[in-house]
Amino acid sequence: MTAPRDVVVVGGSIAAVTAVNTLRGEGFEGHITVLSEEPVPPYTRVPLSKGVLAGRQPPEDIEIGPLPSGVELRLGVRATGLDMRARVVRTTRGDVSYDGLVIASGARARRLGVLGNPVSRELVLRSRSDGLDLRDRLSHVSSVLVVGGGFLGMEIASTCCELGKRVTVVDIVPPLDALIGPYVGALVRESAERVGCRMIVADKVTLLGSPHPCAVATADGRRFEADLVVTAAGDVPNVEWLADSGLRLGRGVHVDERCRAAPGIVAAGDVAACLHLDSGPAGTRIPTWTNAVEQARVAALALLHADDAPRYRPSRYGWTEQFGWDLKMVGAEAPTGKPAVLDGDLTTGHAVLAWPDAEVRHTVMAVNHPTPPAKLKRLLRAT
Ligand SMILES: Cc1cc2nc3c(=O)[nH]c(=O)nc-3n(C[C@H](O)[C@H](O)[C@H](O)COP(=O)(O)OP(=O)(O)OC[C@H]3O[C@@H](n4cnc5c(N)ncnc54)[C@H](O)[C@@H]3O)c2cc1C
């Protein structure tokens, strides 16, 4: 297969921008068209639950770019279909031809739905406009209920506490345990409780209220109300536009070890599901910022260099900032049990931790510790 001359990138966020920068960085001089359904230039979502929501960081600061010269960025254009035979992306503004395609359409917030009220609108935090909307609404309320105690839900809860709101988090499992393990999870939850954040674990959570949810009911008959309810219950890959394309879709767009979905087509970021990561036939999605960057680099290289491109090996690096904790973590598994301390002292709140112990590590975490990500990755490999 020869290298493409006309590359189309579907998506307008970090995976899309990284793919474009990699293509140009590799000397690709052909035409690049970026199609993004959002009305604003590419930006990073990471600060939306942190500095932007708190009002500390202006939304203009989160832009990523500018894109390299000669890249045509078409905003407000949604891809609606893909004809692989004709090598055409169908869009809300007509067809766009390609000979190389990068699928970087990411994911959207999963919505739980409101009991008996299909028109009720859940508040979620995924896009810049969600973030600005939520920030404005927060200035008019005193209590907030967050449904979902993952990284995003707990970051929203943390920011709301910082803003002086009464905050309740409801989840079906103890917040954060599935991500950072029960040991550090408990430490973060203690800090959350100290600033008044209430955490409820219930078997089933149902949203109630209209036009926006204002309460949740749990399976054991409890009911929790707040001025504002926000859902942070995971994400759903944006693959519907590919439904009739013939591409293999499972948990996302199926890609091989070089992020290839079909000849001349690669996928990266939250939308991609890797088949080579021991995850079974549905594939593995790794919906993190670092993954989007790392995968988009490999995807762009595969478009240009085919089998000479490197294989994609996720570093599995992730981080979160909440309730005064700055956690940076490398590893494929949520840690269990007590960690070994590699550096610092956890009683002072600054440490580098390893699980299951210092000899056999599957997870390394920096807790309020300045260790850079590259060193954490080295520490993980050092066993
Ligand atoms: C509030 C928030 C905070 C986060 N914080 C962290 C963090 O601290 N650390 C971390 O590692 N990760 C974090 N993440 C996750 C991280 O932001 C995502 O993993 C990352 O944005 C994925 O990038 P992406 O480019 O693959 O997809 P996305 O960011 O989802 O971007 C996809 C883009 O494609 C567009 N699009 C979708 N469908 C179409 C279509 N059919 N046609 C045209 N355009 C389309 C979308 O509108 C969007 O602009 C956070 C996410 C959120 C929402």
Side-chain angles (χ1 to χ4, degrees):
M1 156 122 213
T2 52
R5 285 170 321 246
D6 265 307
V7 172
V8 171
V9 180
V10 176
S13 190
I14 184 64
V17 171
T18 305
V20 168
N21 285 333
T22 307
L23 288 169
R24 283 288 187 249
E26 284 293 296
F28 175 73
E29 289 176 350
H31 192 257
I32 302 178
T33 310
V34 177
L35 307 173
S36 174
E37 67 180 358
E38 293 201 63
V40 291
Y43 60 88
T44 170
R45 294 172 206 284
V46 171
L48 291 176
S49 49
K50 310 173 182 79
V52 172
L53 194 61
R56 271 184 273 111
Q57 193 170 357
E60 305 76 55
D61 280 11
I62 67 173
E63 247 185 57
I64 35 179
L67 291 174
S69 64
V71 175
E72 188 187 350
L73 174 60
R74 296 180 61 189
L75 297 175
V77 179
R78 184 155 54 85
T80 53
L82 171 66
D83 184 339
M84 289 203 288
R85 260 202 185 165
R87 296 197 156 230
V88 154
V89 176
R90 313 251 182 248
T91 84
T92 44
R93 303 272 180 83
D95 293 352
V96 184
S97 300
Y98 68 86
D99 53 19
L101 175 64
V102 180
I103 297 172
S105 48
R108 60 184 180 276
R110 188 164 83 87
R111 288 169 195 270
L112 297 177
V114 177
L115 185 69
N117 200 335
V119 294
S120 196
R121 291 190 303 274
E122 274 169 82
L123 292 180
V124 295
L125 177 50
R126 180 74 200 182
S127 66
R128 183 182 187 273
S129 69
D130 294 335
L132 299 184
D133 178 42
L134 191 58
R135 191 188 66 179
D136 291 347
R137 285 175 191 276
L138 285 176
S139 60
H140 303 293
V141 302
S142 55
S143 61
V144 178
L145 207 152
V146 182
V147 182
F151 283 147
L152 179 58
M154 289 296 278
E155 286 180 5
I156 295 171
S158 171
T159 303
C160 289
C161 286
E162 194 184 323
L163 293 171
K165 313 297 169 193
R166 268 182 291 115
V167 180
T168 306
V169 177
V170 185
D171 202 331
I172 54 171
V173 289
L176 299 172
D177 275 7
L179 298 161
I180 56 176
Y183 190 83
V184 180
L187 296 176
V188 179
R189 288 196 297 274
E190 274 167 31
S191 301
E193 276 164 0
R194 267 200 297 278
V195 293
C197 180
R198 184 166 62 144
M199 281 155 287
I200 309 291
V201 178
D203 268 353
K204 187 166 183 267
V205 180
T206 307
L207 296 181
L208 307 167
S210 181
H212 294 293
C214 55
V216 300
T218 58
D220 55 10
R222 288 177 292 171
R223 182 186 163 103
F224 302 94
E225 293 182 5
D227 299 335
L228 185 148
V229 176
V230 54
T231 311
D235 63 349
V236 182
N238 292 319
V239 293
E240 291 75 6
W241 66 280
L242 298 164
D244 300 324
S245 64
L247 286 181
R248 291 175 59 206
L249 308 173
R251 283 198 185 107
V253 178
H254 281 177
V255 292
D256 71 7
E257 57 191 1
R258 292 188 175 83
C259 307
R260 294 172 296 200
I265 302 180
V266 293
D270 284 9
V271 75
C274 302
L275 289 174
H276 69 293
L277 296 177
D278 280 347
S279 48
T284 298
R285 239 172 24 96
I286 308 175
T288 64
W289 194 91
T290 304
N291 181 70
V293 170
E294 293 173 345
Q295 210 172 20
R297 280 192 194 127
V298 172
L301 293 175
L303 212 49
L304 297 179
H305 308 307
D307 283 349
D308 292 332
R311 290 187 168 85
Y312 176 58
R313 295 275 174 267
S315 71
R316 308 257 190 190
Y317 173 76
W319 76 93
T320 183
E321 292 151 33
Q322 49 178 283
F323 297 107
W325 293 86
D326 171 11
L327 305 177
K328 296 175 284 194
M329 191 168 114
V330 195
E333 292 172 45
T336 51
K338 206 167 170 216
V341 178
L342 302 184
D343 193 7
D345 180 352
L346 200 50
T347 56
T348 65
H350 306 271
V352 179
L353 309 175
W355 285 265
D357 56 45
E359 274 74 49
V360 190
R361 299 169 199 160
H362 62 60
T363 309
V364 177
M365 186 188 293
V367 177
N368 297 332
H369 194 281
T371 308
K375 184 160 179 205
L376 289 179
K377 291 173 196 170
R378 279 202 302 279
L379 286 170
L380 187 73
R381 285 195 299 265
T383 54

